[in-house]
Amino acid sequence: MDGSSAGTAPGSPSGGTESSTPWDDGLIARRVNETTAGEQTAIVEPRVSVSPHAVTPLAYDGPLRSRLDALRELVGLSRTRLDHRTLSEAGRVLDEAAARRRLSGQHTVVAIAGATGSGKSQLFNALAGVTISETGVRRPTTASPLACSWSDGAAGLIDRLGIPPRLRRRPAQNAAADGQLRGLVLVDLPDHDSAAVQHREQVDRVLGLVDAVIWVVDPEKYADAVLHERYLRPMAGHAEIMFVVLNQIDRLPGEATDQVLDDLRRLLDEDGIALGEHGEPGAVVLALSALTGEGVGDLREALGQFVAERGAAARRIAADVDSAGLRLRPVYAASRRTGLSEEARDEFSARLADAIGATAAGEAAERAWLRHANRACGTPWLRLWRWYQDRGESTTGRLSPRVQADEEATARQRVEQAVRTVAEQASAGLPTPWAQAVREAAVRGAQGLPEALDDLGARAGLPPGRPPRPGWWPAAVLVQASMTILQVVGGLWLAAQIIGVTAPNLGVPVLLMVAGIIGGPLVEWGCRMAARGPARRYGQEAERRLREAAAGCGRARVLDPVAAELLRYREVREQYGRVMGVGSPAR
């Protein structure tokens, strides 16, 4: 890509295309010529075509590329859960990182920012070695950003800042200075506290695009609240690409310079800005006088080393990623361990099973099995009596859990309460957007859940027909029938003796009747004792089928969608950890 056209800002008169015609030096240069006769004036940089091969694009190292990829993935995964405003800063950082990467990596764009009367334009001219930016008593003096480039190939970077060709300059022809600051693009900004709103807007816009910034303060307004609260404190994470210069020290007597400088460092420390005074990363703090030139050489030397490293642009992007990540922390960082425990899942399934009456259905199935056993093995006379009493009851034990309207309403309330409980447990500790997504997934799954539980419960209940009978039932029935036959034979024998058909002999028929009368209930009692175990197992099996049906329905409709949302959150949480340069967080 041609470095002269990449990243052209809207409104740039050049449109990102260079021609062979010389630049118009514009109003500012003409004023300088009129007021500084005999002095060295600004050199207007000719617009020459730059070969695409002359500009080396910026290259990000592996860790920064990985963080940018993670941020891009994070934004993509979060679009359906977070609003555009929340993700706007992260999107801006990605766009600016991509735009800066396409431009020159051999240049470092440094902006000079300061308040009205701080002397930033004087410092700009002192570094350039030539009068470029207008200085004077009238405020604001600098109305538009000015750019001064120490080497070719920076047209694309300046286009990106929206600085028109008429406001681009070259420094004085000084071999030593040119070599020391080769690759520097210095931008003089309007006053950040200007009364003109458009000036402040230009400052904010350009500060978001440059690779580094020199903050110029003066002894009177170095503690200005606007500077610290609006700019320095929010940019505390950008300390490595920041210079803080105390200008106009020629106005301070004696040791006052050191005192003001110490107080300035204290304020910067309160702003959270790290100071790189002992070799550690941080902002560079210097004191100088742009008017007399005192300390300007130190700033020039520090700038030369800074530009020679060719790392300011990558550090700026890394700091922007840090800043965007910190802004996103409330929507990604959980306050505690998240997710659904097995205990919570089991409790939810148990609540659903209770709602469809799994326990009551199991008990009904057990009673049905026992009734069937009693009917099969009981005495004929008791069976006849029980049939008369139980003729209106089902012989299968298939009891509907919602026969009455109030029972149906109660069951629905239990289901809704179970869903609310599991949703609260699953969303506990999650950031608000993801907690809301989990609750919405649970609510969607709860729609139609009571009806689905009814249907599954009916299909998973007892099989049609009578309960199954064990193998010993035919023998028990045969024995019970034998006891009945003994009673009948004994009774007929006694009747025959009474009417004189047979010879009198009470012992045998009475013995047969007594055996039948006593044996029948004994057989029935024994069968009832033997049937308890199978009946209990039959009821437990019926309850188990209903519980499994309820658990499967609840899992498919509620737990699985909730788990999908939790999995999505864990994915974005891992990406967020990569963005912030840490390992995968504990789940």
Side-chain angles (χ1 to χ4, degrees):
M1 178 179 292
D2 189 349
S4 63
S5 60
T8 303
S12 173
S14 67
T17 305
E18 300 188 10
S19 66
S20 58
T21 59
W23 290 4
D24 177 14
D25 58 356
L27 177 62
I28 292 180
R30 288 198 296 272
R31 286 180 175 173
V32 171
N33 291 334
E34 294 171 359
T35 57
T36 57
E39 298 180 5
Q40 189 175 17
T41 59
I43 299 175
V44 179
E45 184 177 352
R47 299 184 65 184
V48 295
S49 298
V50 181
S51 170
H53 302 288
V55 176
T56 303
L58 178 65
Y60 297 142
D61 59 14
L64 181 55
R65 287 200 307 270
S66 176
R67 295 182 65 191
L68 290 170
D69 291 342
L71 183 59
R72 188 175 297 105
E73 183 72 14
L74 180 67
V75 171
L77 290 173
S78 304
R79 290 192 186 279
T80 58
R81 296 294 177 267
L82 304 179
D83 58 72
H84 175 72
R85 293 182 60 186
T86 303
L87 298 173
S88 60
E89 178 62 18
R92 186 197 68 80
V93 170
L94 290 172
D95 292 342
E96 297 303 338
R100 182 64 181 90
R101 187 176 185 179
R102 291 191 293 266
L103 301 175
S104 173
Q106 303 302 311
H107 291 80
T108 302
V109 183
V110 181
I112 298 183
T116 303
S118 61
K120 57 184 179 55
S121 296
Q122 277 186 333
L123 179 60
F124 182 84
N125 294 335
L127 290 173
V130 59
T131 302
I132 295 178
S133 185
E134 183 182 10
T135 62
V137 178
R138 184 176 59 85
R139 299 287 181 260
T141 302
T142 304
S144 300
L146 302 173
C148 181
S149 176
W150 267 254
S151 57
D152 295 332
L157 289 169
I158 303 176
D159 287 341
R160 179 169 173 251
L161 301 180
I163 300 177
R166 63 185 180 83
L167 298 179
R168 306 180 190 187
R169 302 290 183 270
R170 279 299 184 89
Q173 299 296 325
N174 185 314
D178 287 350
Q180 188 178 28
L181 298 180
R182 182 172 182 79
L184 173 64
V185 179
L186 197 61
V187 179
D188 186 19
L189 296 179
D191 302 332
H192 69 72
D193 60 349
S194 173
V197 176
Q198 62 270 27
H199 292 182
R200 299 197 302 270
E201 291 176 348
Q202 288 192 72
V203 171
D204 294 342
R205 179 183 61 83
V206 175
L207 284 179
L209 300 175
V210 297
D211 300 328
V213 58
I214 300 174
W215 290 103
V216 181
V217 298
D218 61 75
E220 292 181 355
K221 295 193 293 185
Y222 70 91
D224 181 45
V226 173
L227 171 65
H228 289 269
E229 294 178 6
R230 184 176 178 184
Y231 293 101
L232 295 181
R233 198 166 299 162
M235 294 185 66
H238 295 69
E240 291 188 59
I241 57 161
M242 191 182 299
F243 294 79
V244 182
V245 174
L246 175 63
N247 192 18
Q248 302 177 6
I249 61 173
D250 55 290
R251 297 168 52 190
L252 296 174
E255 298 179 354
T257 298
D258 293 336
Q259 295 175 359
V260 173
L261 203 59
D262 290 341
D263 194 44
L264 174 60
R265 291 191 178 97
R266 178 188 61 80
L267 293 174
L268 295 175
D269 183 66
E270 292 178 357
D271 292 333
I273 297 177
L275 303 180
E277 297 180 333
H278 304 288
E280 70 275 11
V284 177
V285 181
L286 296 173
L288 55 81
S289 172
L291 181 63
T292 65
E294 181 183 357
V296 174
D298 295 336
L299 176 60
R300 186 187 300 274
E301 182 179 355
L303 271 177
Q305 295 177 356
F306 184 77
V307 172
E309 292 174 358
R310 303 286 190 266
R315 289 201 294 270
R316 169 61 194 261
I317 296 300
D320 286 346
V321 172
D322 288 338
S323 178
L326 290 175
R327 291 189 181 186
L328 292 174
R329 180 176 177 80
V331 298
Y332 291 116
S335 60
R336 67 180 198 184
R337 188 181 182 89
T338 60
L340 273 179
S341 64
E342 288 299 323
E343 181 180 358
R345 293 172 181 269
D346 293 342
E347 181 183 355
F348 175 68
S349 300
R351 285 173 178 266
L352 295 185
D354 292 340
I356 64 172
T359 302
E363 294 174 351
E366 182 178 353
R367 290 194 300 269
W369 208 98
L370 288 174
R371 282 198 304 271
H372 192 39
N374 291 335
R375 287 169 182 152
C377 303
T379 62
W381 330 116
L382 289 177
R383 289 172 62 187
L384 183 61
W385 173 250
R386 287 168 181 157
W387 172 82
Y388 176 76
Q389 288 185 323
D390 301 340
R391 65 184 184 278
E393 296 185 12
S394 171
T395 59
T396 64
R398 296 176 59 82
L399 302 177
S400 174
R402 298 183 179 87
V403 177
Q404 303 297 329
D406 57 343
E407 293 180 355
E408 181 178 352
T410 301
R412 182 178 295 274
Q413 291 173 0
R414 289 179 178 177
V415 171
E416 293 174 352
Q417 179 62 33
V419 172
R420 284 196 298 269
T421 300
V422 77
E424 291 301 324
Q425 291 173 336
S427 61
L430 290 176
T432 301
W434 307 100
Q436 181 66 24
V438 167
R439 287 191 290 267
E440 289 176 354
V443 170
R444 287 194 301 269
Q447 297 175 356
L449 181 58
E451 293 77 8
L453 288 173
D454 283 341
D455 182 62
L456 284 177
R459 288 189 281 117
L462 301 178
R466 296 180 179 274
R469 60 179 64 186
W472 51 264
W473 274 24
V477 172
L478 181 61
V479 172
Q480 189 65 269
S482 300
M483 295 299 102
T484 303
I485 292 174
L486 288 178
Q487 295 179 49
V488 172
V489 170
L492 292 175
W493 195 342
L494 284 176
Q497 290 182 10
I498 292 174
I499 63 177
V501 175
T502 59
N505 183 5
L506 298 176
V508 176
V510 169
L511 182 61
L512 291 177
M513 288 186 65
V514 171
I517 293 172
I518 297 175
L522 286 176
V523 172
E524 182 179 358
W525 179 82
C527 290
R528 184 179 297 137
M529 293 298 102
R532 285 185 175 180
R536 185 178 300 110
R537 289 191 294 273
Y538 183 70
Q540 290 173 348
E541 178 65 17
E543 181 180 352
R544 182 190 62 81
R545 283 195 297 268
L546 284 176
R547 289 189 177 277
E548 287 182 353
C553 186
R555 181 172 56 254
R557 286 177 169 266
V558 177
L559 293 183
D560 287 349
V562 167
E565 291 296 334
L566 291 173
L567 179 60
R568 179 186 288 269
Y569 170 71
R570 285 194 290 268
E571 290 176 353
V572 299
R573 186 69 177 87
E574 288 180 357
Q575 293 297 331
Y576 179 74
R578 290 179 56 199
V579 170
M580 300 307 293
V582 299
S584 299
R587 299 184 181 182

PDB file of all heavy atoms in Angstrom, residues 299-321:
ATOM      1  N   LEU A 299      15.576  17.291  26.302  1.00  0.00           N
ATOM      2  CA  LEU A 299      14.346  16.772  25.686  1.00  0.00           C
ATOM      3  C   LEU A 299      14.646  16.225  24.297  1.00  0.00           C
ATOM      4  O   LEU A 299      14.138  15.160  23.920  1.00  0.00           O
ATOM      5  CB  LEU A 299      13.291  17.869  25.606  1.00  0.00           C
ATOM      6  CG  LEU A 299      11.986  17.480  24.894  1.00  0.00           C
ATOM      7  CD1 LEU A 299      11.311  16.312  25.591  1.00  0.00           C
ATOM      8  CD2 LEU A 299      11.047  18.675  24.801  1.00  0.00           C
ATOM      9  N   ARG A 300      15.487  16.934  23.541  1.00  0.00           N
ATOM     10  CA  ARG A 300      15.830  16.461  22.204  1.00  0.00           C
ATOM     11  C   ARG A 300      16.535  15.105  22.278  1.00  0.00           C
ATOM     12  O   ARG A 300      16.251  14.199  21.479  1.00  0.00           O
ATOM     13  CB  ARG A 300      16.724  17.494  21.504  1.00  0.00           C
ATOM     14  CG  ARG A 300      17.015  17.156  20.046  1.00  0.00           C
ATOM     15  CD  ARG A 300      18.047  18.132  19.496  1.00  0.00           C
ATOM     16  NE  ARG A 300      17.553  19.503  19.566  1.00  0.00           N
ATOM     17  CZ  ARG A 300      16.801  20.053  18.617  1.00  0.00           C
ATOM     18  NH1 ARG A 300      16.499  19.357  17.547  1.00  0.00           N
ATOM     19  NH2 ARG A 300      16.398  21.301  18.736  1.00  0.00           N
ATOM     20  N   GLU A 301      17.433  14.957  23.226  1.00  0.00           N
ATOM     21  CA  GLU A 301      18.142  13.684  23.373  1.00  0.00           C
ATOM     22  C   GLU A 301      17.178  12.564  23.769  1.00  0.00           C
ATOM     23  O   GLU A 301      17.237  11.450  23.232  1.00  0.00           O
ATOM     24  CB  GLU A 301      19.239  13.823  24.434  1.00  0.00           C
ATOM     25  CG  GLU A 301      20.051  12.553  24.623  1.00  0.00           C
ATOM     26  CD  GLU A 301      21.147  12.730  25.681  1.00  0.00           C
ATOM     27  OE1 GLU A 301      21.313  13.874  26.169  1.00  0.00           O
ATOM     28  OE2 GLU A 301      21.807  11.732  26.016  1.00  0.00           O
ATOM     29  N   ALA A 302      16.256  12.856  24.733  1.00  0.00           N
ATOM     30  CA  ALA A 302      15.290  11.843  25.141  1.00  0.00           C
ATOM     31  C   ALA A 302      14.366  11.468  23.986  1.00  0.00           C
ATOM     32  O   ALA A 302      14.043  10.285  23.780  1.00  0.00           O
ATOM     33  CB  ALA A 302      14.475  12.358  26.330  1.00  0.00           C
ATOM     34  N   LEU A 303      13.967  12.470  23.196  1.00  0.00           N
ATOM     35  CA  LEU A 303      13.122  12.190  22.036  1.00  0.00           C
ATOM     36  C   LEU A 303      13.881  11.364  21.005  1.00  0.00           C
ATOM     37  O   LEU A 303      13.314  10.457  20.377  1.00  0.00           O
ATOM     38  CB  LEU A 303      12.652  13.499  21.397  1.00  0.00           C
ATOM     39  CG  LEU A 303      11.353  14.121  21.915  1.00  0.00           C
ATOM     40  CD1 LEU A 303      11.081  15.435  21.216  1.00  0.00           C
ATOM     41  CD2 LEU A 303      10.198  13.160  21.705  1.00  0.00           C
ATOM     42  N   GLY A 304      15.168  11.680  20.816  1.00  0.00           N
ATOM     43  CA  GLY A 304      15.963  10.931  19.857  1.00  0.00           C
ATOM     44  C   GLY A 304      16.034   9.456  20.214  1.00  0.00           C
ATOM     45  O   GLY A 304      15.871   8.572  19.358  1.00  0.00           O
ATOM     46  N   GLN A 305      16.299   9.153  21.497  1.00  0.00           N
ATOM     47  CA  GLN A 305      16.337   7.751  21.925  1.00  0.00           C
ATOM     48  C   GLN A 305      14.959   7.089  21.778  1.00  0.00           C
ATOM     49  O   GLN A 305      14.847   5.936  21.354  1.00  0.00           O
ATOM     50  CB  GLN A 305      16.802   7.674  23.377  1.00  0.00           C
ATOM     51  CG  GLN A 305      18.234   8.147  23.598  1.00  0.00           C
ATOM     52  CD  GLN A 305      18.622   8.125  25.069  1.00  0.00           C
ATOM     53  OE1 GLN A 305      17.806   7.828  25.935  1.00  0.00           O
ATOM     54  NE2 GLN A 305      19.883   8.456  25.345  1.00  0.00           N
ATOM     55  N   PHE A 306      13.931   7.847  22.110  1.00  0.00           N
ATOM     56  CA  PHE A 306      12.570   7.328  22.040  1.00  0.00           C
ATOM     57  C   PHE A 306      12.201   6.982  20.598  1.00  0.00           C
ATOM     58  O   PHE A 306      11.633   5.906  20.324  1.00  0.00           O
ATOM     59  CB  PHE A 306      11.617   8.391  22.597  1.00  0.00           C
ATOM     60  CG  PHE A 306      10.193   7.968  22.679  1.00  0.00           C
ATOM     61  CD1 PHE A 306       9.756   7.125  23.681  1.00  0.00           C
ATOM     62  CD2 PHE A 306       9.271   8.443  21.755  1.00  0.00           C
ATOM     63  CE1 PHE A 306       8.428   6.740  23.753  1.00  0.00           C
ATOM     64  CE2 PHE A 306       7.944   8.075  21.827  1.00  0.00           C
ATOM     65  CZ  PHE A 306       7.519   7.216  22.828  1.00  0.00           C
ATOM     66  N   VAL A 307      12.531   7.883  19.655  1.00  0.00           N
ATOM     67  CA  VAL A 307      12.199   7.655  18.255  1.00  0.00           C
ATOM     68  C   VAL A 307      13.049   6.534  17.673  1.00  0.00           C
ATOM     69  O   VAL A 307      12.571   5.719  16.869  1.00  0.00           O
ATOM     70  CB  VAL A 307      12.367   8.965  17.450  1.00  0.00           C
ATOM     71  CG1 VAL A 307      12.211   8.703  15.958  1.00  0.00           C
ATOM     72  CG2 VAL A 307      11.361  10.001  17.920  1.00  0.00           C
ATOM     73  N   ALA A 308      14.312   6.464  18.085  1.00  0.00           N
ATOM     74  CA  ALA A 308      15.209   5.438  17.541  1.00  0.00           C
ATOM     75  C   ALA A 308      14.760   4.030  17.906  1.00  0.00           C
ATOM     76  O   ALA A 308      15.051   3.069  17.170  1.00  0.00           O
ATOM     77  CB  ALA A 308      16.634   5.686  18.040  1.00  0.00           C
ATOM     78  N   GLU A 309      14.050   3.881  18.999  1.00  0.00           N
ATOM     79  CA  GLU A 309      13.584   2.542  19.406  1.00  0.00           C
ATOM     80  C   GLU A 309      12.517   1.995  18.476  1.00  0.00           C
ATOM     81  O   GLU A 309      12.313   0.775  18.427  1.00  0.00           O
ATOM     82  CB  GLU A 309      13.048   2.601  20.835  1.00  0.00           C
ATOM     83  CG  GLU A 309      14.116   2.873  21.883  1.00  0.00           C
ATOM     84  CD  GLU A 309      13.503   3.074  23.257  1.00  0.00           C
ATOM     85  OE1 GLU A 309      12.252   3.029  23.361  1.00  0.00           O
ATOM     86  OE2 GLU A 309      14.256   3.280  24.219  1.00  0.00           O
ATOM     87  N   ARG A 310      11.810   2.868  17.766  1.00  0.00           N
ATOM     88  CA  ARG A 310      10.747   2.465  16.836  1.00  0.00           C
ATOM     89  C   ARG A 310       9.680   1.599  17.511  1.00  0.00           C
ATOM     90  O   ARG A 310       9.061   0.756  16.872  1.00  0.00           O
ATOM     91  CB  ARG A 310      11.324   1.677  15.652  1.00  0.00           C
ATOM     92  CG  ARG A 310      12.389   2.410  14.868  1.00  0.00           C
ATOM     93  CD  ARG A 310      11.773   3.505  14.004  1.00  0.00           C
ATOM     94  NE  ARG A 310      12.737   4.059  13.069  1.00  0.00           N
ATOM     95  CZ  ARG A 310      13.468   5.142  13.292  1.00  0.00           C
ATOM     96  NH1 ARG A 310      13.332   5.807  14.436  1.00  0.00           N
ATOM     97  NH2 ARG A 310      14.315   5.582  12.392  1.00  0.00           N
ATOM     98  N   GLY A 311       9.455   1.829  18.791  1.00  0.00           N
ATOM     99  CA  GLY A 311       8.474   0.999  19.495  1.00  0.00           C
ATOM    100  C   GLY A 311       7.303   1.767  20.048  1.00  0.00           C
ATOM    101  O   GLY A 311       6.414   1.183  20.691  1.00  0.00           O
ATOM    102  N   ALA A 312       7.249   3.066  19.812  1.00  0.00           N
ATOM    103  CA  ALA A 312       6.190   3.882  20.408  1.00  0.00           C
ATOM    104  C   ALA A 312       4.817   3.494  19.883  1.00  0.00           C
ATOM    105  O   ALA A 312       3.841   3.423  20.645  1.00  0.00           O
ATOM    106  CB  ALA A 312       6.462   5.357  20.139  1.00  0.00           C
ATOM    107  N   ALA A 313       4.701   3.257  18.565  1.00  0.00           N
ATOM    108  CA  ALA A 313       3.389   2.942  17.989  1.00  0.00           C
ATOM    109  C   ALA A 313       2.826   1.655  18.583  1.00  0.00           C
ATOM    110  O   ALA A 313       1.647   1.573  18.943  1.00  0.00           O
ATOM    111  CB  ALA A 313       3.498   2.824  16.473  1.00  0.00           C
ATOM    112  N   ALA A 314       3.682   0.624  18.707  1.00  0.00           N
ATOM    113  CA  ALA A 314       3.206  -0.646  19.284  1.00  0.00           C
ATOM    114  C   ALA A 314       2.849  -0.465  20.754  1.00  0.00           C
ATOM    115  O   ALA A 314       1.861  -1.034  21.233  1.00  0.00           O
ATOM    116  CB  ALA A 314       4.278  -1.719  19.119  1.00  0.00           C
ATOM    117  N   ARG A 315       3.657   0.330  21.489  1.00  0.00           N
ATOM    118  CA  ARG A 315       3.333   0.561  22.904  1.00  0.00           C
ATOM    119  C   ARG A 315       2.033   1.328  23.040  1.00  0.00           C
ATOM    120  O   ARG A 315       1.257   1.107  23.972  1.00  0.00           O
ATOM    121  CB  ARG A 315       4.490   1.294  23.588  1.00  0.00           C
ATOM    122  CG  ARG A 315       5.725   0.432  23.788  1.00  0.00           C
ATOM    123  CD  ARG A 315       6.614   0.987  24.890  1.00  0.00           C
ATOM    124  NE  ARG A 315       7.180   2.284  24.533  1.00  0.00           N
ATOM    125  CZ  ARG A 315       8.343   2.448  23.900  1.00  0.00           C
ATOM    126  NH1 ARG A 315       9.050   1.384  23.538  1.00  0.00           N
ATOM    127  NH2 ARG A 315       8.800   3.661  23.627  1.00  0.00           N
ATOM    128  N   ARG A 316       1.786   2.270  22.106  1.00  0.00           N
ATOM    129  CA  ARG A 316       0.531   3.019  22.137  1.00  0.00           C
ATOM    130  C   ARG A 316      -0.659   2.074  21.913  1.00  0.00           C
ATOM    131  O   ARG A 316      -1.662   2.141  22.637  1.00  0.00           O
ATOM    132  CB  ARG A 316       0.542   4.116  21.069  1.00  0.00           C
ATOM    133  CG  ARG A 316      -0.821   4.785  20.835  1.00  0.00           C
ATOM    134  CD  ARG A 316      -1.293   5.458  22.114  1.00  0.00           C
ATOM    135  NE  ARG A 316      -2.685   5.842  22.088  1.00  0.00           N
ATOM    136  CZ  ARG A 316      -3.121   7.074  21.833  1.00  0.00           C
ATOM    137  NH1 ARG A 316      -2.259   8.026  21.525  1.00  0.00           N
ATOM    138  NH2 ARG A 316      -4.396   7.335  21.890  1.00  0.00           N
ATOM    139  N   ILE A 317      -0.544   1.196  20.937  1.00  0.00           N
ATOM    140  CA  ILE A 317      -1.638   0.251  20.674  1.00  0.00           C
ATOM    141  C   ILE A 317      -1.842  -0.681  21.859  1.00  0.00           C
ATOM    142  O   ILE A 317      -2.979  -0.979  22.258  1.00  0.00           O
ATOM    143  CB  ILE A 317      -1.352  -0.545  19.392  1.00  0.00           C
ATOM    144  CG1 ILE A 317      -1.312   0.390  18.177  1.00  0.00           C
ATOM    145  CG2 ILE A 317      -2.399  -1.624  19.184  1.00  0.00           C
ATOM    146  CD1 ILE A 317      -2.592   1.136  17.933  1.00  0.00           C
ATOM    147  N   ALA A 318      -0.729  -1.155  22.446  1.00  0.00           N
ATOM    148  CA  ALA A 318      -0.849  -2.033  23.611  1.00  0.00           C
ATOM    149  C   ALA A 318      -1.530  -1.315  24.770  1.00  0.00           C
ATOM    150  O   ALA A 318      -2.371  -1.900  25.478  1.00  0.00           O
ATOM    151  CB  ALA A 318       0.543  -2.531  24.030  1.00  0.00           C
ATOM    152  N   ALA A 319      -1.188  -0.045  24.971  1.00  0.00           N
ATOM    153  CA  ALA A 319      -1.834   0.728  26.037  1.00  0.00           C
ATOM    154  C   ALA A 319      -3.308   0.947  25.732  1.00  0.00           C
ATOM    155  O   ALA A 319      -4.157   0.924  26.640  1.00  0.00           O
ATOM    156  CB  ALA A 319      -1.121   2.065  26.213  1.00  0.00           C
ATOM    157  N   ASP A 320      -3.636   1.154  24.453  1.00  0.00           N
ATOM    158  CA  ASP A 320      -5.049   1.303  24.078  1.00  0.00           C
ATOM    159  C   ASP A 320      -5.818   0.014  24.341  1.00  0.00           C
ATOM    160  O   ASP A 320      -6.970   0.049  24.774  1.00  0.00           O
ATOM    161  CB  ASP A 320      -5.157   1.686  22.598  1.00  0.00           C
ATOM    162  CG  ASP A 320      -4.767   3.129  22.342  1.00  0.00           C
ATOM    163  OD1 ASP A 320      -4.667   3.898  23.321  1.00  0.00           O
ATOM    164  OD2 ASP A 320      -4.551   3.489  21.174  1.00  0.00           O
ATOM    165  N   VAL A 321      -5.185  -1.109  24.048  1.00  0.00           N
ATOM    166  CA  VAL A 321      -5.836  -2.405  24.319  1.00  0.00           C
ATOM    167  C   VAL A 321      -6.058  -2.573  25.824  1.00  0.00           C
ATOM    168  O   VAL A 321      -7.119  -3.033  26.268  1.00  0.00           O
ATOM    169  CB  VAL A 321      -4.993  -3.562  23.747  1.00  0.00           C
ATOM    170  CG1 VAL A 321      -5.551  -4.908  24.198  1.00  0.00           C
ATOM    171  CG2 VAL A 321      -4.955  -3.491  22.229  1.00  0.00           C
TER     172      VAL A 321
END
